Amino acid sequence: MTAILNISVPAAGTYAGPTWQLRVPSGSQPVLEAQANFTFGSGTATTLNTYLQTSFDAGQTWCDVVSFTQFTTASARIAASVIQGAVAPAAVTDGALAAGTANALFGPWWRCKYVVVGAYSASTLRIDAFSNVGIVPAGANAFN
């Protein structure tokens, strides 16, 4: 597992985590599995929307792949699996995919985007990912 995002939930706003690449050897069918772990501290009238996104153009534009179930005022953990090769048209959204849904997009660049509404205190969000191919920070030359 690689922690692709590990943050204390910030003030209200829209944020993006670091960019990662999946290094896919020729002939393989990559799988990416991700687990979002939200630990609630305190806050009221708060929501945290978290998206796993992919990019086909080196991060110029981003497409939602997974919209984790919306986090509110209780700790929760949710996981998703994305497999390359599913053939289905998908609407391209950036931070607008309905909570608790996913689509079949699978590009080489990945990140997490999160939207905070309200004020959280002492709350954390960690997203761990596993893949059967290399997960490396964007621009890195070595495999993980």
Side-chain angles (χ1 to χ4, degrees):
M1 284 282 207
T2 300
I4 59 174
L5 184 70
N6 190 11
I7 55 128
S8 291
V9 178
T14 300
Y15 304 90
T19 302
W20 297 84
Q21 284 183 291
L22 291 184
R23 302 281 174 89
V24 181
S26 179
S28 67
Q29 181 182 26
V31 174
L32 177 66
E33 297 175 325
Q35 173 179 275
N37 191 7
F38 172 67
T39 304
F40 177 69
S42 64
T44 57
T46 53
T47 59
L48 174 59
N49 293 332
T50 307
Y51 306 90
L52 183 61
Q53 297 184 312
T54 195
S55 175
F56 299 97
D57 56 12
Q60 297 298 310
T61 58
W62 291 94
C63 309
D64 299 329
V65 177
V66 174
S67 176
F68 292 100
T69 301
Q70 187 178 66
F71 301 114
T72 56
T73 57
S75 295
R77 186 170 53 122
I78 188 88
S81 183
V82 183
I83 301 170
Q84 184 183 38
V87 179
V92 178
T93 59
D94 181 357
L97 190 64
T101 63
N103 63 39
L105 300 174
F106 201 107
W109 290 273
W110 292 82
R111 75 173 187 185
C112 294
K113 180 176 189 172
Y114 49 103
V115 180
V116 181
V117 176
Y120 283 99
S121 178
S123 299
T124 61
L125 175 65
R126 179 180 170 115
I127 309 242
D128 290 298
F130 172 80
S131 181
N132 63 340
V133 297
I135 300 175
V136 297
N141 293 323
F143 284 87
N144 246 1

